[in-house]
């Protein structure tokens, strides 16, 4: 049988070819991304942000992942006025409508999302949260629950105990698999940026799939499709601008 016909038959039958990219071999479909920052590194790139000017070594975000956002795939600004869209795109986040949360959720969000000092939560709701079909309270409570699981995992422990050191992609991937099951790491992308002569880890984006409401983070990761991990290694930055 000719090779091209063999390939076609294998594709139709759903058989693995062994020549596809690794990420394509992971079953599932990514319906949302959990974007988390390593805040000291983020602040190296945005030192004038209020949350960066106020950072301290004993604050939560010095040694834990922080919430950037929970993003439904390929959906932005659902039911949002054009005026708010324009204000958001112009970075005028403090002019956006305030987010209404319970006092407990607001306090938790201020801790895990230090960007609330720059009205990041207003931007995240307007651009992403409005497309989830959830209330503001449920949207942020959901994101906070996922962050609690991530920050209690070996992934967070790996970063916390290696502040100031280089961490490899393999180490991060192993920690994800240990934390959230086999091949969890193949649903994760790591972003690094240059900072002088260093390359620092600034963000992770974690693929999530469609699951039952309030499913554990591991279940949601396992339901996602694959992606390319990207950065091969970077420094886990500590508090203080270099």
């Amino acid at each position: 049988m000719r090779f091209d016909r063999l390939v076609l038959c294998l594709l139709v039958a759903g058989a693995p070819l062994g020549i596809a990219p690794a990420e394509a071999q992971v079953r599932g479909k990514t319906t949302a991304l959990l974007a988390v920052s390593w805040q000291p590194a983020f602040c190296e790139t945005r030192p004038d942000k209020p949350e960066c000017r106020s950072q301290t070594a004993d604050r939560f975000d010095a040694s834990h992942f922080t919430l950037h956002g929970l993003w439904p795939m390929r959906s932005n600004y659902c039911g949002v006025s054009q005026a708010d869209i324009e204000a958001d795109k112009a970075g005028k986040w403090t002019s956006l409508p305030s987010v209404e949360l319970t006092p407990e959720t607001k306090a938790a969000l201020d801790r895990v999302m230090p960007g609330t000092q720059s009205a990041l939560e207003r931007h995240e709701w307007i651009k992403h949260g409005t497309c989830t079909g959830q209330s503001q309270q449920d949207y942020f409570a959901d994101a906070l629950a996922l962050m609690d699981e991530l920050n209690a995992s070996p992934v967070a422990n790996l970063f916390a105990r290696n502040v100031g050191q280089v961490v490899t992609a393999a180490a991060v991937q192993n920690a994800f698999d240990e934390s959230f099951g086999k091949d969890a790491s193949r649903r994760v992308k790591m972003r690094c940026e240059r900072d002088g002569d260093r390359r620092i880890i600034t963000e992770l984006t974690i693929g999530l799939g469609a699951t039952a409401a309030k499913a554990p983070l591991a279940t949601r990761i396992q339901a996602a499709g694959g992606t390319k991990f990207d950065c091969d290694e970077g420094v886990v930055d500590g508090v203080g601008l270099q």
Side-chain angles (χ1 to χ4, degrees):
M1 182 182 293
R2 288 178 53 192
F3 178 73
D4 55 351
R5 291 182 62 190
L6 174 60
V7 169
L8 177 61
C9 290
L10 289 172
L11 286 172
V12 171
L17 298 180
I19 56 174
E23 59 267 23
Q25 298 175 21
V26 176
R27 295 182 181 276
K29 181 179 180 181
T30 302
T31 59
L33 295 175
L34 177 65
V36 303
S37 300
W38 189 255
Q39 194 70 15
F42 167 80
C43 286
E44 292 285 356
T45 68
R46 303 287 192 280
D48 293 333
K49 288 276 190 181
E51 62 269 27
C52 294
R53 294 197 303 267
S54 64
Q55 65 177 336
T56 59
D58 60 349
R59 203 167 69 179
F60 179 84
D61 54 285
S63 56
H64 297 80
F65 291 111
T66 61
L67 175 62
H68 183 171
L70 182 57
W71 307 335
M73 296 293 286
R74 302 178 183 88
S75 297
N76 293 324
Y77 300 117
C78 297
V80 176
S81 72
Q82 189 60 38
D84 284 342
I85 292 174
E86 291 174 0
D88 183 68
K89 289 182 175 181
K92 299 177 180 178
W93 297 348
T94 56
S95 69
L96 297 172
S98 60
V99 170
E100 301 300 324
L101 303 172
T102 66
E104 294 79 13
T105 300
K106 184 180 185 306
L109 188 64
D110 287 343
R111 182 171 183 250
V112 179
M113 181 188 267
T116 57
Q117 296 180 48
S118 299
L120 175 60
E121 80 282 10
R122 301 187 189 193
H123 159 72
E124 291 299 320
W125 171 255
I126 286 290
K127 185 172 183 180
H128 303 291
T130 54
C131 297
T132 63
Q134 296 175 297
S135 67
Q136 293 179 336
Q137 172 65 28
D138 288 345
Y139 171 67
F140 284 105
D142 186 23
L144 288 169
L146 297 176
M147 292 299 300
D148 284 346
E149 290 190 65
L150 178 63
N151 276 319
S153 75
V155 180
N157 291 337
L158 172 70
F159 275 66
R161 70 173 183 265
N162 283 286
V163 171
Q165 305 299 317
V166 172
V167 169
T168 65
V172 179
Q173 290 171 316
N174 289 339
F176 264 97
D177 289 346
E178 178 186 352
S179 302
F180 304 111
K182 183 177 182 292
D183 289 336
S185 60
R186 292 166 70 180
R187 280 91 170 179
V188 179
K189 184 182 290 289
M190 185 165 80
R191 180 182 180 188
C192 300
E193 296 187 38
R194 299 301 308 183
D195 180 50
D197 59 356
R198 305 183 304 157
R199 183 166 60 167
I200 55 177
I201 302 169
T202 55
E203 186 165 82
L204 302 174
T205 50
I206 304 167
L208 308 176
T211 61
K214 299 183 179 178
L217 179 55
T219 302
R220 295 171 74 168
I221 290 174
Q222 291 294 333
T227 189
K228 182 181 177 182
F229 193 79
D230 218 11
C231 179
D232 60 350
E233 66 176 27
V235 173
V236 180
D237 199 27
V239 169
L241 304 179
Q242 295 193 19

